[in-house]
């Protein structure tokens, strides 16, 4: 039985290759691939409206089933709602891809999609 001391040339090549691929993957996670951020508005699970955030100049207001929704170039929020608890209004502005908020009594859901969705768990 032969005892080997140290790493062989092949081992070093494999380790360096894996390290290089990992570093490239990590670096690419910080770049957006040109996908525009959108706010998707759902009512009772059905897609009601899609708004491209880069196309919003000042703000866009949507009135839907007793809820007032505000969309700006930075994100979206519920301005007001006639639901009993008002949790959707207290949630505030959502601004990042992957953010979701809902007015459960009214069945209205807002979601931000597209853009770069990197958080502490993604990498």
């Amino acid at each position: 039985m032969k005892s080997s001391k140290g790493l062989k040339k092949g081992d070093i090549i494999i380790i360096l290759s894996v390290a290089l691929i990992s570093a490239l993957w990590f670096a690419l996670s910080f770049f957006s691939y040109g996908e525009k951020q959108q706010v998707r508005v759902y009512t009772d699970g059905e897609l009601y409206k899609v708004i491209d955030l880069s196309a919003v100049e000042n703000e866009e207001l949507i009135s839907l089933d007793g809820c007032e929704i505000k969309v700006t170039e930075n994100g979206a929020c519920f301005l007001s709602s006639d639901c009993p608890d008002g949790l959707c209004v207290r949630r505030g502005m959502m601004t990042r891809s992957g953010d979701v908020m809902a007015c459960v009594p009214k069945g209205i859901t807002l979601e931000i999609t597209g853009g770069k969705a990197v958080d502490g768990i993604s990498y």
Side-chain angles (χ1 to χ4, degrees), residues 22-71:
S22 299
L24 285 173
W25 193 338
F26 180 76
L28 289 175
S29 71
F30 287 101
F31 294 103
S32 174
Y33 294 102
E35 189 177 347
K36 295 182 179 180
Q37 272 192 320
Q38 298 176 333
V39 172
R40 294 176 176 263
V41 181
Y42 296 90
T43 178
D44 295 323
E46 299 291 321
L47 184 62
Y48 173 76
K49 190 170 190 173
V50 177
I51 301 166
D52 183 4
L53 289 181
S54 64
V56 177
E57 290 186 20
N58 292 326
E59 63 183 37
E60 186 171 330
L61 298 176
I62 301 169
S63 293
L64 184 63
D65 193 26
C67 289
E68 186 84 21
I69 300 165
K70 178 172 102 173
V71 179

Side-chain angles (χ1 to χ4, degrees), residues 1 5 14 21 23 25 28 33 56 72 88 97 114 120:
M1 201 153 125
K5 296 188 182 199
I14 290 173
I21 290 170
W25 193 338
L28 289 175
Y33 294 102
V56 177
T72 68
C88 54
S97 290

